[in-house]
Amino acid sequence: MSCPVSDFAEYDQLAQRWLETGAYDSTRHTPGYPGFLALVYAIAGHSWQAARVAQAVLGAATTALVIVLARKLTSPRTAVIAGALHAFWPTAVVYVGVPASENLATAVVLSLVVALSFETDSLRRRLIATAVAGFFFGLALLVRPALLFILPASLLLAMWEPRSRRWRVLPAIAFILVAGLSLFPWQLHNYRMGVGATTLSTTGGINLWMANNDNPQAGSSGGYEAARAAGFPATEPERDRALQRAAVSWILSHPGRYFVLSAARARRM
């Protein structure tokens, strides 16, 4: 694995500082993936090769989860084929060597779906399964905050019982309670850092600005480096708020251009 750059370098530095100081000092990057790297470094020392091995184990676990999910919908043979396709898929193979949160996020989201797909006639077991799913959902948000958008689908799956073909509210309540408990330490951290207890991450302003300024073409990102060169405020919360204001101001003053960029992004989606 080559020396990390960009966000990958930040993950690496956050993990090292966490081990050195015992405290997590970022509000921009959620602690899920840096925590994963910190655990690897605590066991094997600061070794990118060790991180690569750990991610290979994650990849193998992800393949197994693909097989489990495919088996629920198809035949055993088809499930094995699905697992093999994932195991040898070029993107999955290449990402083993990249210090990126996608490696951990993929395994966590599949674990969430497996827990939500658990079938039983027992309400107690169903509550346990959805509570486990709630834990994985909270963990997913700590790895990649954008996964918040799968919450509606997760709640629907939590409430639906495939065997009895009926809706139950209690499993969804168990899901939400455990997810909230999983997130509580991070939300408390953000409150103490001055960004508010409801803030998952201070990447919102940065992402909003990257997509909405004079530089993006055909819906792609642009303008982040220009904003950095112009001078960012000192702290992450201040940068987040400043870039949010700049992006909203640009959108309001360029409605036609914003529509064109949004249409391009919608086509790509």
Side-chain angles (χ1 to χ4, degrees):
M1 189 188 301
S2 59
C3 181
V5 296
S6 187
D7 281 353
F8 311 143
E10 291 187 49
Y11 293 141
D12 175 68
Q13 293 159 12
L14 284 168
Q16 291 185 72
R17 288 203 302 271
W18 201 347
L19 288 175
E20 291 167 0
T21 66
Y24 191 74
D25 59 3
S26 176
T27 59
R28 179 187 175 195
H29 291 295
T30 46
Y33 187 70
F36 168 78
L37 288 180
L39 179 61
V40 172
Y41 295 166
I43 296 171
H46 183 220
S47 166
W48 297 327
Q49 187 62 29
R52 187 175 188 173
V53 170
Q55 292 187 163
V57 173
L58 270 180
T62 302
T63 296
L65 290 167
V66 169
I67 293 173
V68 170
L69 285 172
R71 181 64 185 87
K72 289 179 176 291
L73 300 172
T74 64
S75 67
R77 179 180 295 179
T78 304
V80 171
I81 292 173
L85 286 172
H86 174 268
F88 295 103
W89 195 256
T91 303
V93 173
V94 169
Y95 257 68
V96 166
V98 179
S101 60
E102 285 83 353
N103 292 288
L104 181 58
T106 303
V108 170
V109 170
L110 284 173
S111 298
L112 161 66
V113 178
V114 168
L116 287 173
S117 65
F118 180 74
E119 296 184 28
T120 177
D121 293 323
S122 167
L123 177 59
R124 178 176 174 273
R125 291 179 180 177
R126 181 63 179 165
L127 289 173
I128 292 173
T130 51
V132 170
F135 167 76
F136 281 118
F137 179 75
L139 181 57
L141 295 188
L142 293 177
V143 178
R144 292 190 68 83
L147 290 169
L148 179 64
F149 293 109
I150 70 174
L151 176 59
S154 298
L155 287 175
L156 288 174
L157 287 173
M159 289 189 290
W160 177 247
E161 286 191 350
R163 285 194 176 181
S164 61
R165 300 185 67 82
R166 62 175 176 171
W167 299 94
R168 283 186 182 272
V169 175
L170 283 180
I173 293 175
F175 178 92
I176 292 171
L177 285 177
V178 175
L181 288 173
S182 303
L183 289 170
F184 179 76
W186 174 241
Q187 302 309 124
L188 183 61
H189 164 275
N190 286 342
Y191 174 77
R192 290 174 173 171
M193 294 285 285
V195 299
T198 59
T199 302
L200 273 176
S201 167
T202 52
T203 58
I206 293 171
N207 291 332
L208 192 64
W209 170 255
M210 283 196 297
N212 300 286
N213 60 75
D214 288 325
N215 295 292
Q217 300 294 325
S220 63
S221 299
Y224 179 63
E225 293 303 325
R228 174 177 289 181
F232 277 161
T235 68
E236 289 178 350
E238 290 173 345
R239 286 197 294 273
D240 183 59
R241 289 190 288 269
L243 288 172
Q244 280 190 40
R245 289 194 297 268
V248 170
S249 176
W250 185 89
I251 291 170
L252 293 176
S253 59
H254 301 80
R257 177 73 176 139
Y258 174 71
F259 177 79
V260 170
L261 291 174
S262 297
R265 291 190 281 263
R267 285 195 299 274
R268 290 184 173 189
M269 182 72 73

